[in-house]
Amino acid sequence: MTEGEKSRLVAWNQEMRRVHARLREALAVVREELDSGAAEKAGRDLLLFCRGFCTALTGHHEGEDRQLFPAIAADHPELRETLRALEQDHSMIGHLLSDMRAAMNRDASPAELERHLEGIGAIMESHFRFEERKLMSVLEELALDADPDEVLGNL
C-alpha cells in the first residue's frame, strides 16, 4: 500500500470524527441560543439554527445508511448486527427530529424546544460513542471510493 493510499484510507476515520464533532458543535450552538434567553427575541434565528442542525444530522445518517454501512457490511459481515443497530438509532433519531420540526412549526416555547434538544442530544451522543467505538478501526482500513460529503454529510 502506498503512502497516498494509506492517507486516503485513514481519512474515513478522521472524516467520521470531524463530522461528529461538527454535529456536536451545532447542537451546542442551538442549546446556547436557547439558554441565553435570546430565543424569544431571535426566534427566526433560532429556528434557522434548529432547522440547520436537523438537516445536517439527517443528511449524515442518510449518507451512512446509503453508502457507508453497505461498504462496511461487504468487507466485514461480522458487523451486520452492529450496523443494523446503528440504522435503528438513525430511525429513532429521525422520529425525534420530526417531533422537533413539528414543535418548531407550531411555534413551541423555548422550554419545549429545549426538551426536544435534550432527547435528541442524549440519543445522538450515545449513538456517536457506540459508532465510534465499533467502527473507527474498520474505517481506518475502509477502501471506499466516494465523496466524504456524500457519505458522511456536508458540514
Side-chain angles (χ1 to χ4, degrees), residues 62-145:
E62 288 173 351
E64 286 181 333
D65 291 347
R66 188 176 49 248
Q67 292 188 53
L68 183 64
F69 291 173
I72 293 171
D75 288 349
H76 297 277
E78 73 279 6
L79 290 175
R80 287 199 172 125
E81 285 302 313
T82 297
L83 297 171
R84 198 166 296 122
L86 290 168
E87 288 171 342
Q88 289 173 339
D89 284 356
H90 291 173
S91 178
M92 181 186 341
I93 292 169
H95 288 294
L96 294 172
L97 291 171
S98 291
D99 290 348
M100 186 165 139
R101 284 185 189 105
M104 288 185 297
N105 288 338
R106 62 179 162 66
D107 295 324
S109 70
E112 183 178 346
L113 292 177
E114 177 62 32
R115 286 192 299 275
H116 285 284
L117 286 171
E118 284 295 320
I120 292 166
I123 299 299
M124 183 185 90
E125 189 60 36
S126 171
H127 170 78
F128 284 176
R129 287 181 183 183
F130 179 70
E131 189 172 60
E132 290 166 359
R133 197 170 55 251
K134 295 293 187 176
L135 300 184
M136 282 302 151
S137 63
V138 170
L139 291 176
E140 288 178 4
E141 300 174 359
L142 183 67
L144 175 61
D145 187 18

Side-chain angles (χ1 to χ4, degrees), residues 4-106:
E5 289 172 329
K6 186 175 179 181
S7 295
R8 186 180 65 78
L9 295 175
V10 173
W12 286 109
N13 180 317
Q14 294 168 358
E15 285 295 318
M16 175 74 79
R17 288 186 192 283
R18 182 187 63 81
V19 168
H20 284 179
R22 296 285 309 271
L23 287 166
R24 287 173 171 123
E25 289 169 14
L27 179 61
V29 166
V30 176
R31 283 181 164 163
E32 286 172 16
E33 191 69 23
L34 276 171
D35 291 344
S36 73
E40 284 95 17
K41 295 179 228 159
R44 286 182 109 37
D45 290 340
L46 177 63
L47 290 178
L48 286 174
F49 284 132
C50 288
R51 289 186 200 287
F53 168 72
C54 290
T55 300
L57 187 57
T58 299
H60 171 64
H61 289 158
E62 288 173 351
E64 286 181 333
D65 291 347
R66 188 176 49 248
Q67 292 188 53
L68 183 64
F69 291 173
I72 293 171
D75 288 349
H76 297 277
E78 73 279 6
L79 290 175
R80 287 199 172 125
E81 285 302 313
T82 297
L83 297 171
R84 198 166 296 122
L86 290 168
E87 288 171 342
Q88 289 173 339
D89 284 356
H90 291 173
S91 178
M92 181 186 341
I93 292 169
H95 288 294
L96 294 172
L97 291 171
S98 291
D99 290 348
M100 186 165 139
R101 284 185 189 105
M104 288 185 297
N105 288 338
R106 62 179 162 66

